[in-house]
Amino acid sequence: MAPRVGRLVVLEGVEGAGKSTQLARLADRLRAAGADVRTFREPGGTPIGDRIRAILLDPDASMESRTEALLFMASRAQLVATAVRPALADGAVVLLDRFFLSTYAYQVGGRGLPEADVRAANAAATAGLVPDLTVLLSLPGAEGLVRAAARGPSDRMEKSGHDFHARVDAAFHSFAVPAWQAAHPEAGRIEVVDASGTPDDVGARVMRVVASDRKSTRLNSSHRCISYAVFCLKK
Ligand code: TMP
């Protein structure tokens, strides 16, 4: 396996939390400063993953929870092996719109699948890849669903009902607890960011958290400067 020298930053949160908007802003800022930034979304991000995404989100499809979980994993396995690991080996900053915390929230918390099964399948899909930082955008679930509904017709996941989304929301909140993080080292460092307010407000909070990532890095300073040129230029 190629050595890993880039940084993997994940944006997570409930529907409508603003992940995609914030990911695009972050990518723009890092690129403007000269960083090599690659962005992907889950499910999807590869030709196979995009086909799996269409199946998963098809509002007319009916699906067993285990089928759903394994399709998310299949998309992830393809993305990690063919896009994320090669980008990290190039020294890029990889920004992911969702990763396996979403599986833990939606398939374990929401659908009620056994955590041990999902964790094992996920470990197989990621081959043990641990994010350097996950920014967990926090918004009351109901508020997020209202924002998501305003974007257009609901997909299969969005149509899963109020109780399901309340469980997903509760699961995301549980990931902020230090005891949960200590019991799930595969998730890496998780930072909760308040997603209320304007995109500028939230963007400033996200930048603060990402800027602090270099402090926890185990890479030497020249690698940090390649990955996070924006902060090196500022120094
Ligand atoms: P989105 O990327 O447009 O938010 O749509 C992806 C949907 O899939 C969203 O409802 C969250 C859900 N999802 C899961 O249920 N499990 C997963 O592992 C991932 C990555 C997403």
Side-chain angles (χ1 to χ4, degrees):
M1 204 175 282
R4 182 179 159 191
V5 294
R7 302 295 284 166
L8 175 56
V9 178
V10 179
L11 271 82
E12 285 278 12
V14 293
E15 319 282 337
K19 293 177 303 302
S20 310
T21 304
Q22 292 304 328
L23 187 135
R25 294 172 71 107
L26 186 57
D28 284 350
R29 284 207 54 185
L30 293 170
R31 283 194 184 114
D36 175 6
V37 180
R38 322 257 177 105
T39 64
F40 305 101
R41 72 170 174 188
E42 277 214 352
T46 64
I48 286 177
D50 287 340
R51 289 163 74 181
I52 295 173
R53 180 182 175 92
I55 297 170
L56 278 165
L57 299 187
D58 178 354
D60 299 323
S62 112
M63 198 177 293
E64 287 296 312
S65 297
R66 282 172 186 272
T67 309
E68 176 183 290
L70 291 168
L71 284 174
F72 279 113
M73 306 296 181
S75 171
R76 179 165 306 141
Q78 187 70 11
L79 182 70
V80 166
T82 68
V84 175
R85 284 198 191 270
L88 292 173
D90 285 350
V93 180
V94 176
L95 302 182
L96 270 187
D97 187 340
R98 296 193 186 277
F99 199 31
F100 59 84
L101 284 192
S102 281
T103 320
Y104 291 6
Y106 286 81
Q107 279 67 53
V108 178
R111 301 287 188 224
L113 289 178
E115 187 191 66
D117 289 355
V118 171
R119 269 178 106 180
N122 182 63
T126 60
L129 182 65
V130 179
D132 294 293
L133 171 68
T134 295
V135 178
L136 181 51
L137 292 175
S138 167
L139 199 68
E143 195 178 320
L145 278 178
V146 171
R147 281 197 200 171
R151 292 193 299 230
S154 298
D155 63 36
R156 195 181 62 84
M157 300 302 296
E158 288 164 349
K159 284 172 63 178
S160 292
H162 174 270
D163 290 354
F164 171 81
H165 286 286
R167 290 194 297 277
V168 170
D169 190 32
F172 273 122
H173 277 98
S174 74
F175 305 156
V177 176
W180 188 93
Q181 295 175 22
H184 297 80
E186 74 273 24
R189 177 178 163 221
I190 299 171
E191 290 290 337
V192 180
V193 166
D194 178 4
S196 58
T198 67
D200 282 349
D201 295 338
V202 183
R205 292 178 204 131
V206 170
M207 275 315 275
R208 268 199 297 278
V209 167
V210 172
S212 73
D213 174 46
R214 66 200 164 116
K215 290 185 189 134
S216 64
T217 182
R218 274 170 283 133
L219 299 175
N220 67 38
S221 59
S222 65
H223 277 144
R224 289 202 293 274
C225 286
I226 291 167
S227 295
Y228 287 122
V230 63
F231 308 117
C232 298
L233 290 176
K234 272 186 180 168
K235 275 197 283 187

